Amino acid sequence: MEAPAAPRNPAESSGPSEPSVAGVTTEITVNSPEQMRELGRRLAKLLRAGDLVMLTGELGAGKTTMTRGLGEGLGVRGAVTSPTFVIARVHPPLGDGPPLVHVDAYRLGGGLDDMEDLDLDVSLTDSVIVVEWGEGKVEELADDRLHVLIHRAVGDTTDEVRHVTLTGVGERWATVGLGALSA
């Protein structure tokens, strides 16, 4: 993985591919699926119960691959696979850590109205919640959250390179050293 770009304030950027939130931002280039999984394992070390992580990216960008790494790093039970058809999966911890709740909000169109049926607000304080396709749908669940934008080349390409932008929002993420993820 390459070193991250200097932390910046995304509110200064008007690019459509960036979360429209203010916070501390770090950018990392990932060159393979294994590096994406490793990034997830490293990120897991920074997570704790009550954290909300929103993953955004094109189909095939690596959202579920990163979540597999998160599950490995958190030490949870069960294979982390895409919850597209079941909407949400809970992976209990094998040890003392928090459970991982993995949500795929792709088919949910109603934002929090549809999300209420999943009881994520009940699970949030005890679990690490990872929501794929959650942008514009789950921000109201927590003032403090981590947006992870994964960008990849689209079209007829075999390019494995991904550009990952991590933006921590709220007091929780103000002092977390996201830049250490590329070390």
Side-chain angles (χ1 to χ4, degrees):
M1 288 184 277
E2 294 179 15
R8 61 186 172 77
N9 184 342
E12 297 171 3
S13 173
S14 60
S17 64
E18 298 191 25
S20 57
V21 294
V24 178
T25 297
T26 297
E27 295 179 358
I28 300 171
T29 298
V30 175
N31 296 304
S32 68
E34 182 49 44
Q35 282 187 357
M36 183 66 76
R37 206 163 169 167
E38 176 60 25
L39 178 58
R41 287 190 288 266
R42 289 176 185 245
L43 177 57
K45 294 176 183 176
L46 302 177
L47 297 176
R48 63 184 187 206
D51 283 341
L52 172 63
V53 180
M54 296 170 41
L55 300 177
T56 302
E58 299 91 357
L59 285 171
K63 297 178 295 296
T64 301
T65 300
M66 176 180 275
T67 306
R68 280 188 192 106
L70 289 172
E72 292 167 7
L74 290 170
V76 298
R77 185 175 34 163
V80 175
T81 60
S82 178
T84 299
F85 298 105
V86 295
I87 310 297
R89 279 199 175 92
V90 177
H91 298 275
L94 292 171
D96 294 333
L100 171 67
V101 178
H102 183 198
V103 179
D104 186 329
Y106 183 77
R107 295 186 302 138
L108 301 178
L112 281 183
D113 292 338
D114 284 350
M115 298 298 284
E116 282 182 8
D117 291 337
L118 300 177
D119 290 330
L120 293 182
D121 53 339
V122 173
S123 302
L124 187 58
T125 57
D126 299 327
S127 306
V128 170
I129 307 251
V130 176
V131 183
E132 296 185 28
W133 305 99
E135 191 169 10
K137 298 176 182 175
V138 298
E139 288 87 343
E140 293 177 32
L141 287 175
D143 291 335
D144 299 317
R145 58 195 173 275
L146 181 64
H147 290 246
V148 179
L149 173 66
I150 306 171
H151 178 74
R152 70 173 182 95
V154 293
D156 188 18
T157 180
T158 58
D159 189 357
E160 295 289 340
V161 175
R162 306 297 195 256
H163 300 283
V164 181
T165 304
L166 299 105
T167 303
V169 177
E171 284 184 42
R172 157 79 174 104
W173 295 99
T175 59
V176 175
L178 291 174
L181 293 172
S182 66

